[in-house]
């Protein structure tokens, strides 16, 4: 182990009211598109020619409503496959180690009995097409990753068991598996306080993702309990290096007296290190830096990164286990499963 461990205590769019119905029907599609049900049916089934304008309006309504055609599912038939539906761009899926580690855990739990099928749909993916794929009986369950409310509900309507890879920020009965992001962030800030840091900033993650919201909440709780102000000490990034560098520059402009920063990802922490180096700040002498995830880059960068370890492989194992249990009709351990995080202390703080 490269350090000491301390245990820690998408895809949305606004639609008219009609678009929020629980189970969209052909009539709802027709009403939203402003066409007759017969025209909507012809577009969806491809049985007759319609005008390009009508076709475009119907296809948009289908996507916005998450409508899928109802087909009779073969009785008592299992595909032997689990689908991981990823709501991210191709580039990130193939370059971010998070996905490889998560899928490794999933595969370990599935063993040789089931196949893992990865469907990358992107943030503007065609969820109706994915729902059709699943309704066709090609997967027995779905692991939904990096998704927001609309696609999650669209896939739920297929009747296939769905499990989320992150705590949802919207009201939903769907189960999930996540790490204790709030507790991990709080532990990191408590550590910085024990090290004598007094002006602690944070580069928070996206406010529409639980990893962003929960890690920021942990930071606020720890700083608040210490009676320290946060004015000018909170900026945001998109979890990538470039955004971390830009956010660190903003923090230095606002609060040149800053002596520590908690970053919501290791990638943003690396960007922060770059910004600090360019402005002549020494890490950790002048500014301590803590990341989040304990990704491979944390041990390669110099100084080596102190970070909060998220048990990504274990999350994948637990996700697969929970989903297989639901497929088999077994009693679940509850709606949400939250795994512990650990603070890995290295050289940057």
């Amino acid at each position: 182990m490269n350090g000491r461990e301390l245990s820690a205590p998408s895809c949305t769019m606004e639609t008219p009211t009609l678009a929020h119905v629980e189970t969209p029907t052909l009539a709802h599609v027709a009403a939203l598109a402003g066409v007759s049900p017969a025209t909507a049916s012809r577009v969806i089934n491809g049985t007759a020619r319609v005008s390009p304008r009508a076709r475009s309006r119907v296809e948009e309504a289908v996507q916005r409503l998450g409508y899928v055609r109802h087909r009779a599912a073969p009785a008592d038939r299992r595909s032997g496959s689990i689908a991981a539906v990823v709501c991210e761009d191709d580039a990130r899926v193939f370059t971010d180690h998070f996905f490889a580690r998560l899928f490794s855990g999933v595969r370990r739990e599935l063993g040789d009995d089931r196949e893992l099928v990865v469907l990358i749909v992107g943030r503007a993916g065609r969820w109706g097409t994915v729902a059709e794929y699943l309704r066709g009986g090609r997967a027995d369950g779905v692991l939904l990753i990096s998704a927001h409310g609309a696609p999650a509900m669209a896939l739920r309507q297929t009747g296939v068991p769905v499990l989320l890879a992150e705590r949802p920020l919207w009201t939903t009965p769907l189960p999930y598996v996540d790490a204790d992001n709030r507790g991990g962030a709080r532990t990191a800030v408590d550590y910085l306080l024990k090290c004598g840091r007094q002006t602690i900033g944070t580069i928070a993650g996206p406010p529409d993702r639980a990893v962003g919201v929960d890690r920021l909440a942990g930071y606020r709780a720890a700083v608040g309990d210490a009676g320290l102000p946060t004015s000018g000490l909170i900026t945001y990034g998109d979890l990538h290096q470039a955004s971390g560098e830009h956010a660190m520059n903003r923090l230095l402009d606002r609060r040149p007296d800053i002596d520590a920063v908690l970053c919501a990802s290791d990638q943003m922490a690396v960007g922060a290190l770059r910004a600090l180096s360019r402005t002549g700040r020494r890490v950790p002498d002048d500014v301590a830096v803590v990341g989040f995830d304990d990704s491979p880059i944390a041990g390669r960068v110099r100084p080596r990164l102190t970070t909060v370890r998220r048990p990504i492989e274990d999350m994948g194992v637990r996700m697969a286990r929970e989903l297989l249990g639901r497929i088999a009709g077994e009693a679940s351990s509850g709606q949400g499963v939250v795994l512990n995080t650990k603070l890995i202390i290295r050289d940057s703080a």
Side-chain angles (χ1 to χ4, degrees):
M1 184 178 298
N2 293 326
R4 292 179 285 131
E5 298 183 355
L6 295 180
S7 295
S10 128
C11 291
T12 58
M13 62 188 299
E14 291 299 321
T15 60
T17 303
L18 179 63
H20 298 290
V21 294
E22 183 174 353
T23 305
T25 65
L26 180 64
H28 293 128
V29 172
L32 185 59
V35 300
S36 69
T39 298
S41 177
R42 286 194 291 271
V43 172
I44 291 170
N45 294 299
T47 56
R49 297 182 63 181
V50 298
S51 70
R53 176 178 174 80
R55 179 176 300 280
S56 175
R57 293 171 66 176
V58 171
E59 289 176 345
E60 180 182 358
V62 166
Q63 183 172 350
R64 294 174 68 179
L65 287 169
Y67 171 80
V68 292
R69 287 178 291 173
H70 292 272
R71 294 175 176 171
D76 301 323
R77 192 184 79 185
R78 295 285 172 83
S79 69
S81 297
I82 297 297
V85 179
V86 187
C87 185
E88 293 284 1
D89 296 329
D90 291 6
R92 184 174 183 194
V93 175
F94 290 115
T95 59
D96 192 328
H97 288 280
F98 167 80
F99 297 101
R101 296 166 68 189
L102 188 72
F103 294 151
S104 175
V106 172
R107 280 272 359 128
R108 193 193 328 160
E109 182 66 18
L110 294 181
D112 297 328
D113 297 331
R114 292 181 184 270
E115 295 298 327
L116 177 63
V117 179
V118 179
L119 305 176
I120 304 174
V121 297
R123 291 191 175 275
R126 297 188 61 183
W127 291 99
T129 302
V130 175
E132 286 282 356
Y133 175 89
L134 297 172
R135 189 173 291 281
R138 295 179 178 88
D140 300 328
V142 176
L143 301 173
L144 190 54
I145 304 166
S146 300
H148 297 185
M153 298 313 294
L155 297 192
R156 183 183 174 218
Q157 292 161 11
T158 66
V160 179
V162 178
L163 185 138
L164 304 173
E166 185 176 299
R167 184 182 72 84
L169 294 181
W170 70 95
T171 301
T172 176
L174 292 174
Y176 66 90
V177 173
D178 205 347
D180 185 9
N181 293 298
R182 180 186 175 109
R186 181 165 191 144
T187 297
V189 174
D190 286 342
Y191 168 74
L192 291 170
L193 290 168
K194 290 177 182 177
C195 291
R197 309 290 173 162
Q198 291 293 309
T199 308
I200 304 172
T202 187
I203 302 176
D208 61 347
R209 293 276 306 279
V211 293
V213 172
D214 293 345
R215 294 172 190 181
L216 177 58
Y219 161 85
R220 288 185 185 276
V223 172
D225 286 350
L228 298 177
T230 60
S231 177
L233 289 171
I234 299 174
T235 56
Y236 295 84
D238 63 5
L239 304 180
H240 296 112
Q241 281 190 33
S243 70
E245 183 174 1
H246 295 324
M248 189 71 242
N249 285 327
R250 290 195 298 272
L251 284 175
L252 292 172
D253 287 341
R254 297 176 187 173
R255 296 295 301 266
D257 58 331
I258 190 171
D259 61 11
V261 60
L262 169 64
C263 303
S265 75
D266 290 339
Q267 291 288 339
M268 291 201 300
V270 172
L273 290 175
R274 186 182 300 119
L276 290 167
S277 176
R278 289 179 176 175
T279 55
R281 264 81 165 186
R282 298 168 299 165
V283 177
D285 298 28
D286 299 324
V287 182
V289 177
V290 178
F292 213 110
D293 285 337
D294 194 26
S295 57
I297 198 172
R300 296 197 304 262
V301 71
R302 293 295 181 268
R304 296 181 309 154
L305 196 60
T306 293
T307 182
V308 178
R309 174 176 292 165
R310 185 165 52 148
I312 297 173
E313 290 88 349
D314 291 343
M315 286 174 58
V317 169
R318 191 59 181 270
M319 287 166 56
R321 186 176 303 162
E322 292 287 320
L323 184 59
L324 290 175
R326 281 170 162 73
I327 293 171
E330 299 172 359
S332 68
S333 57
Q335 182 179 355
V337 176
V338 179
L339 304 183
N340 290 332
T341 55
K342 293 179 180 179
L343 180 63
I344 308 300
I345 302 173
R346 296 192 178 98
D347 305 326
S348 66

